[in-house]
């Protein structure tokens, strides 16, 4: 149980994929203009990461490893992720058209979001069992959700602040992400 707790704290705070590994910066900057849109993207990514990690772990353990096809891991994982994103896109289009339209082009880009693939591959290379893998995937995706929602909240405040013209838009967002990364470095000794 202590190992599970360490994995979840490490994946959310210490080894946050956005702030410590710098994966997923494209959707982080692209969808973090409004808190509602960022939360929707974060939830969609959470669902995709968790489900993709579970499916890719099963495929790796029971297909690729059994037949000596580990060299196909990246290609197979990308195909699994792409299929899952298509299901999420169809579900959001039917159940929440407003969120679907707000996410726009960034929803299909979850397929190429390096956080999703990174978590799936690192779960395999870390040699987690199924429970540890699910906990790491869930923690990593919650870390992404925290990062994107926090940045969106800060960017909403920055939009009404008096920012020099040269810093408006992405420059101040990149500075903000850098400061948030330094703040998350404070968790390094936690686990």
């Amino acid at each position: 149980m202590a190992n599970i707790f360490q994995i979840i704290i490490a994946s959310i705070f210490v080894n946050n994929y956005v702030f410590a590994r710098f994966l997923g910066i494209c959707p982080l900057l692209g969808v973090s203009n409004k808190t509602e849109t960022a939360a929707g993207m974060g939830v969609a990514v959470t669902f995709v990461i968790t489900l993709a990690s579970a499916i890719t772990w099963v495929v790796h353990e029971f297909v690729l490893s059994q037949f000596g096809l580990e060299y196909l891991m990246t290609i197979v994982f990308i195909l699994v992720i792409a299929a899952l994103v298509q299901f999420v896109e169809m579900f959001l289009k039917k159940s929440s058209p407003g969120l679907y339209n707000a996410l726009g082009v960034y929803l299909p880009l979850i397929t190429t979001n390096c956080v999703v693939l990174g978590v799936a591959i690192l779960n395999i290379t870390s040699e987690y069992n199924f429970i540890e893998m699910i906990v790491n995937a869930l923690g990593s995706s919650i870390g992404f959700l925290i990062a994107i929602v926090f940045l969106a909240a800060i960017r909403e405040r920055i939009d009404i602040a008096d920012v020099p013209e040269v810093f408006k838009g992405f420059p101040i967002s990149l500075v903000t992400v850098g400061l948030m990364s330094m703040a998350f470095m404070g968790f390094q000794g936690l686990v």
Side-chain angles (χ1 to χ4, degrees):
M1 190 64 172
N3 189 35
I4 299 295
F5 181 73
Q6 287 178 336
I7 290 172
I8 198 154
I9 295 299
S11 60
I12 293 173
F13 299 110
V14 179
N15 298 320
N16 186 294
Y17 279 79
V18 175
F19 297 134
R21 299 176 192 244
F22 300 109
L23 295 175
I25 299 297
C26 175
L28 179 80
L29 293 174
V31 184
S32 62
N33 291 328
K34 294 187 170 130
T35 308
E36 297 83 24
T37 307
M41 176 65 138
V43 170
V45 168
T46 298
F47 176 76
V48 170
I49 285 176
T50 306
L51 197 55
S53 293
I55 293 171
T56 55
W57 187 88
V58 169
V59 167
H60 182 269
E61 291 298 313
F62 297 109
V63 177
L64 299 179
S65 292
Q66 297 299 320
F67 297 106
L69 300 172
E70 289 91 355
Y71 62 91
L72 294 174
M73 181 172 62
T74 304
I75 294 169
V76 171
F77 286 10
I78 289 172
L79 290 173
V80 168
I81 292 165
L84 283 172
V85 169
Q86 289 301 311
F87 287 126
V88 169
E89 189 173 4
M90 290 186 305
F91 175 77
L92 284 178
K93 190 173 187 178
K94 295 287 184 189
S95 67
S96 181
L99 179 59
Y100 174 79
N101 290 331
L103 291 175
V105 71
Y106 292 100
L107 187 59
L109 287 178
I110 294 175
T111 302
T112 58
N113 187 343
C114 50
V115 171
V116 180
L117 183 61
V119 171
I121 289 175
L122 285 172
N123 281 331
I124 300 301
T125 58
S126 298
E127 297 180 358
Y128 288 140
N129 63 36
F130 189 77
I131 300 298
E132 292 171 339
M133 176 273 310
I134 290 292
V135 168
N136 184 57
L138 192 59
S140 300
S141 58
I142 290 170
F144 180 82
L145 175 67
I146 288 171
I148 198 167
V149 170
F150 281 11
L151 182 62
I154 292 170
R155 285 181 74 180
E156 285 178 353
R157 300 282 303 216
I158 289 174
D159 284 345
I160 59 173
D162 187 24
V163 177
E165 192 64 36
V166 294
F167 281 112
K168 288 188 178 184
F170 283 115
I172 194 69
S173 297
L174 290 173
V175 170
T176 304
V177 170
L179 292 172
M180 291 172 75
S181 296
M182 290 187 333
F184 268 68
M185 285 177 60
F187 294 116
Q188 287 298 319
L190 194 59
V191 177

